[in-house]
Amino acid sequence: MLEDLRVQKIRRADGSWSFSILWPDYTADEEAESYLRGYEGSGSQQTYAYYLVDHLRWRIREGLTTETITLQDLQRYQGAVGAQVPMPYGQPWRMPPKRPYGTAALSISATVLKTFYVHQCVRLGINPQLREALDVTRLPTKADRGRALLGHVKSSMPSNPLAPPNGTRRRHPKMLPDAARLHLMGSVNTARDEMVVTWLSDTTLRIGGLTGLHLVDLHMREHAGCGECVSPHLHVCHRHNNPNRARAKKKEDWKLVDGVITGGEIYRVSPAMVSSYFKYMTTEYAKHATEHGMLLIQLSGPNSGEPWTADAARGMLRRAGQRARLPGRIKPHAFRHTTTSKILDAANGDPSVAKAVGNWASAAMVDEVYGHPDLHSPEFSAALAEVWGDSE
């Protein structure tokens, strides 16, 4: 059966997870296995496995193999899952209740398809036409040169013929509704949930980083032993073996020496965060916590005291938003966008400040996404009035 080709999660001895693609007889797909092993220990392996298994199921339906598939076939697949392609692509592949891929998902799919087939063509020495079609380059942009070492001498950059067109970055990312923090604080039910809303509101923490925090990562006093920040702060450390499977997105180097964490992503801690932390620790955490050493725990049910997952935190925020009658769905990443926008406004538009506070990849990206004028500011209104001829 087509649907019997599936992703299998494998728990390793150190608590981490691996992902393989299995056939109905429980044997691993040899091509997928050789490809996915290259991402062992990374968060990308799970994502790539699920995108790849979807493509392999489609490939079975179309009667194609690595030896016979062409670039046009891969473009047809991209069209079948949601891309706009200038060709007939046949029957749509992702049928309701599944939704077509959005722009970000199409970009990931394009990356998986290119790297998978280039890997197989090189490893097996087959289908040189496909390898040549995928191994294309483009002229470097100004941003490419700015990011690269000795960028001024670059004459070409790798390109992906399966990727959606450029210019797809969200210019105005989704923000929280007005007064969302106040309304959410009135709708949550526990000190833990109050702390989550406070910490997301006062930092640019991602939900994976927040739910992956250990108590040892928190330096909630001035002049902590790490010597990396004189103010109260926390360290977000990428760990692949957290029992709740929460992971920080960025893999900054970190280490634990004599019980003191150094490195990782460093976030300043506000007085409100410190207050909410001690309220939670002296009540719910002291009552329910077990010996795992993680910060956020489950407060009820058979697994009370065990680490709280990122999905559980998302569900808590969604339900609190519904109880507060806030418009739309409250998502953790909206806190990150909202806080970054506020920091940029408070810093008089200086993207380097927002980059440092939010641990963003680059100041240029912050400026591109958030550095737009306030549509309701007096300066913006005055400029429009002058253009419209209403300044007299």
Side-chain angles (χ1 to χ4, degrees), residues 78-268:
Q78 288 289 84
V81 297
Q84 295 183 3
V85 293
M87 65 174 72
Y89 53 76
Q91 180 181 357
W93 178 244
R94 294 184 62 80
M95 303 296 290
K98 295 181 178 179
R99 295 181 296 176
Y101 287 161
T103 301
L106 287 169
S107 296
I108 298 173
S109 176
T111 298
V112 171
L113 294 180
K114 177 177 178 177
T115 53
F116 173 75
Y117 282 105
V118 169
H119 172 78
Q120 302 307 328
C121 292
V122 171
R123 184 177 67 92
L124 301 174
I126 60 175
N127 206 341
Q129 295 84 5
L130 177 61
R131 179 185 175 186
E132 182 179 356
L134 291 173
D135 190 17
V136 295
T137 59
R138 58 174 173 80
L139 292 174
T141 64
K142 184 177 180 180
D144 293 328
R145 295 183 188 276
R147 284 192 294 264
L149 179 66
L150 298 178
H152 62 284
V153 302
K154 281 193 171 292
S155 59
S156 64
M157 294 290 293
S159 183
N160 191 339
L162 302 173
N166 292 330
T168 56
R169 178 175 283 165
R170 180 184 292 276
R171 175 68 172 172
H172 298 273
K174 291 184 178 179
M175 305 290 184
L176 292 172
D178 291 340
R181 176 177 181 170
L182 178 64
H183 292 301
L184 288 171
M185 292 295 281
S187 300
V188 295
N189 299 318
T190 66
R192 177 203 61 195
D193 298 349
E194 287 183 12
M195 189 182 77
V196 168
V197 172
T198 301
W199 284 37
L200 289 175
S201 299
D202 284 357
T203 66
T204 56
L205 280 167
R206 299 178 179 89
I207 194 63
L210 177 59
T211 53
L213 285 173
H214 289 238
L215 296 180
V216 72
D217 301 334
L218 310 180
H219 295 167
M220 308 297 281
R221 59 180 179 82
E222 295 185 348
H223 303 288
C226 68
E228 295 181 297
C229 183
V230 297
S231 302
H233 62 279
L234 58 87
H235 298 252
V236 174
C237 303
H238 179 86
R239 297 179 175 92
H240 66 275
N241 57 353
N242 280 330
N244 62 353
R245 299 178 61 192
R247 292 183 180 179
K249 181 177 181 180
K250 296 179 70 174
K251 301 178 178 66
E252 301 286 350
D253 291 337
W254 63 275
K255 60 183 178 180
L256 178 64
V257 179
D258 296 330
V260 178
I261 286 282
T262 58
E265 291 183 272
I266 297 177
Y267 291 83
R268 290 274 299 274

